[in-house]
Amino acid sequence: MIKILIADDHYVVRQGLATLLVPRNGMEVVGAAATGTEAVALARTLQPDVILMDLVMPQMDGTQAIICIKQDNPAARILVLTSFG
């Protein structure tokens, strides 16, 4: 089972992605974060296989969160999903 963490400040986006990824094709959403700070904390505790990360979030943006997560776990796999160019 591939463990996925979703990090996005919009509830509807988090829920939509979680619904699409509900235990199918060997994937399981193990957590959801609304802020960059929360994403870093959840990445540490949950050790997901893949993190879906928005770039624009409160408290800590996605870029800063990625840097923190990679410092803790250089092998972390992070896929950036954003509506910004």
Side-chain angles (χ1 to χ4, degrees):
M1 189 71 70
I2 298 169
K3 299 183 300 181
I4 299 172
L5 170 63
I6 300 170
D8 194 290
D9 60 326
H10 293 97
Y11 176 79
V12 172
V13 173
R14 290 192 311 272
Q15 288 303 108
L17 287 170
T19 300
L20 289 172
L21 299 172
V22 170
R24 120 179 28 173
N25 300 321
M27 294 183 274
E28 175 187 15
V29 176
V30 294
T35 69
T37 305
E38 188 178 7
V40 172
L42 287 175
R44 279 187 190 125
T45 59
L46 298 174
Q47 293 294 304
D49 299 308
V50 177
I51 301 167
L52 303 180
M53 179 76 70
D54 185 20
L55 290 182
V56 180
M57 291 186 289
Q59 296 178 6
M60 177 187 297
D61 68 26
T63 303
Q64 293 169 317
I66 290 168
I67 291 168
C68 291
I69 291 167
K70 291 298 244 176
Q71 285 174 344
D72 286 343
N73 179 5
R77 295 180 185 138
I78 302 169
L79 177 62
V80 173
L81 297 177
T82 189
S83 60
F84 297 94

